[in-house]
Amino acid sequence: HSKRNPSREASRLASRYSIHQDGWVVLFGFGLGYIAESILQSYPDIRLIIIDPKPEPFFTALNYRDITSILLHPRLTLLIDVSPSHIQNILGEATHSSITLIPHIPTAEIHPEDFYFTQKAISQFEQQRTINHNTLKRFGKRWVRNLIANLPFFPKAYSLELLKNAFTDIPGVLIAAGPTFDDAIEHLHQIQQKCLIVAVDTALPLC
C-alpha cells in the first residue's frame, strides 16, 4: 500500500474495473483492507467475496487498523486459508449478476497458483452459467409442455420413497444422455451385474 495515502491508491485501483452496483466482486487478497473498504464505500449494494490464501496478512490487518465496517457488511463473504475451489459453491447464487475479479497485486504475486485457480474457477462458472442460460432458452418451453402432459400420470406413479434403504451397500450408477455417454456404455455392460443402474428415459434404450 501507499505510505502516503493508501485509501486514495485503493480507490484508484478499484476505479480501473467495471463494477456494477448490484454485481459481485471477488477480491483476491485482503492486504490491510483499503481496497475492500474503498469498494464497499463506492458500491454498498454489491456482494463482496474476499479470498486470502494465508491467514497471517488478515490477522495483521486486524491488529493494524479498524476494519469493523468491512467485517460487518451484510453482503461480505470471507474465504481465508481455504481452497479457491470453494468459490464455485458460493458463486452458484450469482445466477444473473456480473462478477468482477480484482487482485491485491502483492498477494497475487506471492500466491500465483492460487490466483490462477481463482481465475479459472470464476471463468468455468461463467461458462457453465452461459450454457445453462442458453439451454433453458432453447428447451424451457418444451420442458413446461412435457411437464403439463405428464401431470395426469403423477398420481399413479410410485414414490421413490419406496426404494429407500432397498439397496443398502450396493453401488449405484445414475445414467443420463450426454457427451460422455458413448464412452461409458461399454463399461456399464461390464458392471451391470455388480451395481444398481438407474437411467433416465433418453438413456434407457441404450443401456
Side-chain angles (χ1 to χ4, degrees):
H1 295 288
S2 169
K3 295 181 179 180
R4 293 184 176 181
N5 196 330
S7 296
R8 185 173 62 183
E9 178 193 49
S11 298
R12 189 181 299 117
L13 172 65
S15 66
R16 298 175 186 171
Y17 296 87
S18 177
I19 302 175
H20 294 259
Q21 288 289 349
D22 58 348
W24 287 48
V25 172
V26 178
L27 177 60
F28 184 84
F30 187 74
L32 292 178
Y34 290 107
I35 299 176
E37 192 173 59
S38 174
I39 293 172
L40 293 177
Q41 288 174 353
S42 301
Y43 307 94
D45 295 326
I46 66 160
R47 176 73 181 271
L48 178 61
I49 302 173
I50 299 175
I51 300 176
D52 221 321
K54 298 296 180 182
E56 291 80 9
F58 179 73
F59 292 135
T60 298
L62 288 175
N63 293 324
Y64 185 78
R65 58 191 301 261
D66 183 4
I67 57 174
T68 303
S69 62
I70 301 175
L71 299 180
L72 292 181
H73 192 274
R75 292 170 61 79
L76 170 70
T77 299
L78 280 173
L79 297 178
I80 307 295
D81 195 21
V82 297
S83 169
S85 62
H86 283 73
I87 193 175
Q88 288 189 323
N89 299 328
I90 299 172
L91 290 178
E93 302 173 24
T95 52
H96 302 289
S97 302
S98 64
I99 302 172
T100 304
L101 174 62
I102 299 179
H104 173 248
I105 302 301
T107 304
E109 291 178 347
I110 295 173
H111 304 284
E113 289 188 3
D114 289 290
F115 182 58
Y116 167 76
F117 284 120
T118 299
Q119 289 178 302
K120 185 177 180 180
I122 294 174
S123 176
Q124 288 177 338
F125 170 79
E126 290 181 322
Q127 290 176 7
Q128 187 60 53
R129 184 172 63 174
T130 300
I131 292 172
N132 293 344
H133 173 77
N134 292 337
T135 301
L136 184 61
K137 185 177 181 180
R138 180 176 180 181
F139 297 107
K141 292 182 178 180
R142 181 187 300 179
W143 291 341
V144 172
R145 288 197 300 267
N146 291 344
L147 178 62
I148 294 174
N150 286 325
L151 283 176
F153 301 98
F154 288 166
K156 305 174 185 178
Y158 292 103
S159 171
L160 289 177
E161 188 71 20
L162 297 174
L163 298 178
K164 187 176 181 179
N165 298 324
F167 298 93
T168 305
D169 299 328
I170 298 178
V173 180
L174 180 61
I175 303 299
T180 60
F181 182 80
D182 291 341
D183 296 332
I185 188 66
E186 59 180 274
H187 300 291
L188 292 177
H189 293 155
Q190 298 173 6
I191 65 173
Q192 60 184 351
Q193 301 299 326
K194 302 177 182 178
C195 65
L196 173 68
I197 298 178
V198 179
V200 299
D201 56 351
T202 51
L204 182 61
L206 303 176
C207 293

